[in-house]
Structure formats: C-alpha cells, structure tokens
Amino acid sequence: MADSVADATAALTDDGCVPLAGGTWIMRASIRGEAQSRRYVGIGRIPELNTIDVKDGEIRLGACVTHARLVESFAGLAQWNGLAAAAGAAANPAVREMATVGGNLSTQDFFAADLPPALLSLDAAVELVRPGGTERLSVGRYLDVRRTLEPGALMTSIVLPRRPMRTGHARLPLRKAGDYPVAIVSMAAVLSSDGRVDVIRIAVGSVEPAAGRWTELEEKLLGRPLDPDTAHEMAEATADTFTGRDSVEAPGWYRVKVLPALVRRATQAVLSSR
Amino acid sequence: MPTSLMINGERRTSNRDPMTPLIDVLRDEFLLTGAKSVCREGVCGACTVHLDGRLAVSCLVPIGTVEGKDVRTVESLAMAGELSPLQQVMEQHDVVQCGMCFPGILMTLTSFFQAQPNAGRDEIKAALVGNICRCTGYERLVDAAVTLTKRS
Ligand SMILES: Cc1cc2nc3c(=O)[nH]c(=O)nc-3n(C[C@H](O)[C@H](O)[C@H](O)COP(=O)(O)OP(=O)(O)OC[C@H]3O[C@@H](n4cnc5c(N)ncnc54)[C@H](O)[C@@H]3O)c2cc1C
Ligand code: FES
Ligand code: FES
C-alpha cells in the first residue's frame, strides 16, 4: 500500500506492477479467466487521491473517490444531476462504496462503465503523473491512450469544469437494477432563455467497446428548442453511425436500437434538472 | 507481510498473501462463518461486511488493503447476546428460509437504516439490489423491514 503519489509511481515504474484502487475489477480477474500474476500497488490510502477540491472554475476529484462519495457530494445539485445519477445507479450499494472514479475510467476491457460517458458529456479532464511530469488530458483522450501508457503512469485526479449546464444520464440495464447497462446516454446542455440549445455534449456508453461523443446528434440539436420528441426523432435519424458490440447479454443491433429511447430519457432528465 | 486489523472489536493479524480476499480470512482463519462465500464477484452480497463503517463485499477486498481498518461482521450484531432490532423483526416475521443470503442482508440493512431510518418500501428495495435471495421472494423480508421503520 502506497502512502503517497511518489511512492506509488516509484513502485509502478517496475514493469508489470499496476495500481489497485477499489479492487472491484482486479479481484474478479480469475473469474474472467485472466491471470492475476502481476504485482499490485494499493493506491486507495493516498490522501491526495481521496480529496474533493471545489474551486471557482472547476472541481477536482481525487482518482480514488468512490461512487458512493460522488453521490453524497453531488446529489441534489442540478448541474451534477447526470454525474450523481451515473454513480448512484451503477452496480449495487456495497460495490459503490468500493469502486473508484479512477478505476472506472481506467478499466480497459470493461465496456459498460457508467462514468466514462457521464464525464465525456461534462467535458471533464484527467490529470496524470507520468515519468516525465504531470499532464492534463481530456477524458476522451485518456480513454484512447489508457492502454498504451508507460509503466509509472498514474491518474491522480478528474477535473470537472463548472459551467451553468443542465445534465442527465439514462441507462438501460436488462433487469431493473444491479446488472450492467446495455446502453448509456449522457447529456449536458446549456440552454438559452427561450429554451434553445446553446451548447450540448452527448456521449454514448456500452454500445461500442469505448464510450464516445455523438457529435452528429449534437450538431442536429444545436440552436433548436430542446424537447424529448425532437431529440428522439433526431437520434433515430443518426443512430446508424454506431456499430453495437455483440455479447452474451445483448446483440449489437439491440444496443443501437434502444439509443433513441435513451436520448429521450436523457433529454427529460436534462429538462427537469434545475 | 502480515496484516493487522480490528475484527468485531478485537485486534487480529493475518499472515495470508495480501491479495487474499477478506472473506477467506474471516472464514478460514478466524472462523467467522457468518459471512458466506457464494459468487465471489460482488453480485450476490452474501459476504457483505462493514469496513470502517461502510458496506463492503468482502470477496472483493484484498486483505493487504485493510491494515488498521475496522471490520464488522454479522456476528457483531448480537455481541451482547441479544439480537439487534433488525434481527428481531426478521425472526418475528419468520422471514429466513435457507439463510444463505441473510448475513449479507442484515449487514446491508443495518447500515442502510443508520443512514435512512425512515426509509420507505421502494428505498428499502433499492438498498437490497446487491443482495440476492433465492428463497423468500423478498416481499416478506421487505414487509419486516418496513415495520422497523414505522416503529422508530
Ligand atoms: C457486481 C458489480 C456490478 C457492477 N456494475 C457496474 C455498473 O453498472 N456500472 C459501472 O460503471 N461499473 C459497474 N461495475 C464495475 C465497477 O464499477 C468497476 O469494477 C470499478 O469502477 C473499477 O473501479 P475500482 O476502483 O474497483 O478499480 P480496480 O479494480 O482497483 O482497478 C481497475 C483497473 O483500473 C486501473 N486503475 C485504477 N485506478 C487507477 C488510477 N488512479 N490510475 C491508473 N489506473 C488505475 C487498475 O490498474 C485496473 O486496471 C460493477 C462491478 C461489480 C462487482
Ligand atoms: S460472495 Fe461476495 S458478493 Fe457474492
Ligand atoms: S433465505 Fe435462502 S437465499 Fe435468502
């Protein structure tokens, strides 16, 4: 167990050593049929990784902040409705107490994660400590490079810009709760006084192997009044840009098919978040 | 490296490999067999304990990460020889069937009622999404839990 970021990164430069945060992914390696032979450095106790720092223009979340703490800190605040919904609906209460934001963003082979689309819609960034120094990357960029980071790299925080946006997160699990979502739509929008879309960011999770923005839909909605029916219609017209992944839980076509309905729900969540 | 921790108020030391799941240490080493090892992947909740006062599925907690922490298992609920109010309502309503899920359910609800003593039916159900029970169908269990909130 590392006591500081410096301790952790020193241990991590040893090839084959990886960070262990909440452990909820790593501890299931053998069940997935993966080897668990590598060395781990526990990062959950590092004070800097457990703080939530609220500044004027941004909020800095330590990478080891848990889903449960996100919900406690952000529930009831309109601007963070989407993030609180994402963290609060994932998994189950005990796992939410253990699983961390940094772990959720860093789990390469977990395609149904809730926080990547939520954080993409919020235009969040991550801070990494790398052997060459500290670096800030957009969440989208981090999702692209996380597989290829050199030994010694550690995500220390997630940075949320504070803007007057309204946000929502819609997910479709197959059961009512407790299992992985088949598809996820996260939305963040700034609306003008007459209800038109000034800024919008929409992200999709679980449909393809990595979460990503839905820019075609964003472009169609820009400048129009935001309402669930229009959003649904526009989503139907642009959903063919996705290639759903097949898995035992759901075929790829189904994941794409449910997207317009999730766009409708995310829009309703955005409109009701005040 | 040995790990030293508090379990139900007593200091204990385990010499198991740091990646050993806490559930195995509790059951095999300290013979606290209340928590059950069932799915070993965080889904069923039968192994639920309290870790520094917060819920944890002990099958996913590596023992090496809990040095100095406070672990409470289902055995701690009736330490003074008297069942906790939650245990009492479960017994009065004759809820328990095979009992495999119950230690976890008790730990989840104990922690949930500390946070939300006046919770309603739907909230109780939502709190239990990580505790799978094959026998009771949940309804009787939730009925019993609801009487506890009314009583308080
Ligand atoms: C029953 C169950 C249901 C679940 N349901 C959902 C769900 O509905 N939605 C959802 O999103 N998730 C769900 N999860 C997954 C869970 O959220 C992830 O397992 C979790 O987010 C991983 O976080 P962790 O802190 O436990 O990561 P760990 O297991 O500790 O680590 C996961 C990976 O991330 C790396 N890592 C961790 N922290 C860092 C860091 N700071 N810098 C660099 N790399 C790092 C590790 O090296 C490892 O590769 C579920 C899990 C369980 C057990
Ligand atoms: S055994 Fe731990 S959750 Fe099932
Ligand atoms: S009583 Fe048998 S699993 Fe719940």
Side-chain angles (χ1 to χ4, degrees):
Chain A
M1 294 293 287
D3 291 319
S4 67
V5 170
D7 273 4
T9 48
L12 288 169
T13 46
D14 185 353
D15 199 13
C17 182
V18 296
L20 185 143
T24 66
W25 186 261
I26 288 172
M27 291 295 280
R28 293 184 289 154
S30 62
I31 289 177
R32 291 188 298 269
E34 297 164 13
Q36 212 197 46
S37 57
R38 300 199 286 180
R39 296 204 308 121
Y40 295 100
V41 55
I43 57 172
R45 291 210 163 174
I46 301 173
E48 183 188 336
L49 302 191
N50 282 288
T51 52
I52 299 182
D53 191 8
V54 181
K55 299 189 188 139
D56 282 348
E58 62 187 36
I59 297 179
R60 185 189 161 281
L61 302 172
C64 289
V65 167
T66 62
H67 287 60
R69 272 190 71 208
L70 272 187
V71 177
E72 284 162 22
S73 309
F74 290 101
L77 303 174
Q79 191 188 338
W80 307 111
N81 178 49
L83 185 61
N92 60 51
V95 171
R96 292 199 290 270
E97 290 286 3
M98 303 163 68
T100 67
V101 188
N104 199 256
L105 277 181
S106 304
T107 309
Q108 299 156 6
D109 295 319
F110 178 40
F111 308 139
D114 277 275
L115 296 180
L119 292 169
L120 280 172
S121 76
L122 294 173
D123 201 13
V126 305
E127 278 180 359
L128 298 180
V129 173
R130 299 174 85 159
T134 306
E135 194 176 334
R136 192 182 272 211
L137 301 178
S138 69
V139 165
R141 181 87 189 113
Y142 181 70
L143 295 177
D144 288 341
V145 302
R146 59 189 175 173
R147 247 173 227 286
T148 53
L149 289 175
E150 64 288 349
L154 179 72
M155 184 207 302
T156 49
S157 60
I158 293 92
V159 183
L160 307 172
R162 298 180 75 182
R163 299 198 188 115
M165 27 178 199
R166 295 156 73 170
T167 65
H169 183 83
R171 67 203 293 277
L172 181 73
L174 289 178
R175 293 191 298 132
K176 213 166 169 191
D179 60 348
Y180 294 153
V182 164
I184 305 169
V185 173
S186 301
M187 190 184 286
V190 179
L191 303 182
S192 62
S193 51
D194 61 354
R196 283 173 195 278
V197 176
D198 278 345
V199 181
I200 191 160
R201 296 174 66 92
I202 302 168
V204 171
S206 198
V207 172
E208 295 185 333
R213 293 264 299 278
W214 191 346
T215 45
E216 297 81 0
L217 181 57
E218 292 171 0
E219 280 159 20
K220 281 195 185 291
L221 292 173
L222 211 57
R224 287 174 191 268
L226 187 66
D227 82 85
D229 287 338
T230 316
H232 182 267
E233 201 180 300
M234 303 280 153
E236 293 223 292
T238 52
D240 59 3
T241 50
F242 291 94
T243 311
R245 64 186 172 94
D246 290 319
S247 78
V248 283
E249 295 99 30
W253 64 264
Y254 180 74
R255 297 178 194 274
V256 177
K257 186 92 182 156
V258 298
L259 281 176
L262 288 174
V263 166
R264 178 193 295 277
R265 286 192 212 166
T267 308
Q268 282 161 344
V270 163
L271 292 173
S272 59
S273 75
R274 282 181 181 280
Chain B
M1 215 177 89
T3 305
S4 152
L5 67 165
M6 296 296 282
I7 303 179
N8 298 338
E10 285 179 45
R11 177 156 302 283
R12 303 282 202 166
T13 302
S14 170
N15 289 308
R16 301 281 290 266
D17 177 89
M19 288 301 283
T20 309
L22 174 61
I23 181 73
D24 293 347
V25 174
L26 292 174
R27 291 179 57 87
D28 305 345
E29 203 169 339
F30 301 126
L31 306 180
L32 291 163
T33 53
K36 302 285 181 275
S37 173
V38 182
C39 70
R40 298 176 75 85
E41 54 176 334
V43 174
C44 77
C47 67
T48 306
V49 299
H50 295 172
L51 193 60
D52 282 350
R54 289 182 165 253
L55 286 182
V57 275
S58 58
C59 61
L60 300 185
V61 176
I63 185 73
T65 62
V66 296
E67 171 71 36
K69 293 209 181 194
D70 183 62
V71 176
R72 298 267 158 185
T73 68
V74 70
E75 284 86 354
S76 72
L77 295 183
M79 288 270 266
E82 193 186 330
L83 296 181
S84 74
L86 178 67
Q87 289 173 306
Q88 286 172 25
V89 294
M90 292 299 163
E91 191 178 31
Q92 281 154 15
H93 286 74
D94 195 14
V95 179
V96 186
Q97 293 188 26
C98 82
M100 197 68 169
C101 66
F102 244 76
I105 287 186
L106 291 171
M107 295 312 276
T108 297
L109 287 180
T110 299
S111 130
F112 173 70
F113 283 133
Q114 276 160 8
Q116 296 193 54
N118 301 314
R121 227 187 149 78
D122 288 347
E123 291 157 306
I124 295 172
K125 282 191 175 172
L128 287 172
V129 300
N131 293 89
I132 294 176
C133 174
R134 299 161 306 162
C135 307
T136 67
Y138 303 98
E139 288 303 318
R140 191 191 286 216
L141 195 167
V142 177
D143 289 344
V146 167
T147 64
L148 195 68
T149 65
K150 285 199 186 120
R151 207 196 269 177
S152 60

